[in-house]
Amino acid sequence: PCDEKLKGTAGSDYRGCQDTTRSGKTCQKWTAQSPHKHQSTPQNYPDAGLTNNYCRNPNGEKTIWCHTTDSAVSWEYCDPMNVSEENEAVERIESWADD
């Protein structure tokens, strides 16, 4: 389940489903090293909830963020989803489960 509350220091315990940055860029999966190579992996931050391409704050930035799929922009900050976005995300997840 998505929990869109910013919890922990600077959102370090955020476990929501936001996968888009403040400027609208799609987040890169934490397990991917393309288009951006990085050290923010689930192996390096096992307690940070680095799942899928959801915004997180594993390393003490000022709020949640992600690497982007835009090769020109390494990373950007994110905001938690609002309620309507959260409902859409739950519907997408449920539809994936049906496939």
Side-chain angles (χ1 to χ4, degrees):
C2 303
D3 182 354
E4 294 303 321
K5 293 181 185 69
L6 271 182
K7 296 178 181 172
T9 304
S12 60
D13 294 330
Y14 169 79
R15 295 298 181 268
C17 296
Q18 180 60 276
D19 59 6
T20 306
T21 69
R22 289 175 176 171
S23 74
K25 296 191 187 315
T26 300
C27 293
Q28 173 180 313
K29 287 187 176 182
W30 294 100
T31 53
Q33 291 293 322
S34 177
H36 304 289
K37 288 190 186 301
H38 62 90
Q39 299 299 313
S40 302
T41 63
Q43 294 78 14
N44 290 344
Y45 296 93
D47 299 324
L50 301 181
T51 54
N52 297 320
N53 64 334
Y54 300 145
C55 299
R56 296 291 186 257
N57 187 6
N59 60 346
E61 283 292 332
K62 67 180 185 178
T63 191
I64 58 174
W65 62 277
C66 68
H67 293 284
T68 79
T69 57
D70 181 336
S71 59
V73 180
S74 179
W75 67 276
E76 287 186 343
Y77 290 116
C78 307
D79 290 318
M81 282 194 228
N82 63 37
V83 172
S84 64
E85 288 175 315
E86 186 175 352
N87 290 338
E88 287 174 20
V90 168
E91 288 170 16
R92 279 199 312 266
I93 292 166
E94 288 171 351
S95 70
W96 293 336
D98 293 339
D99 289 347

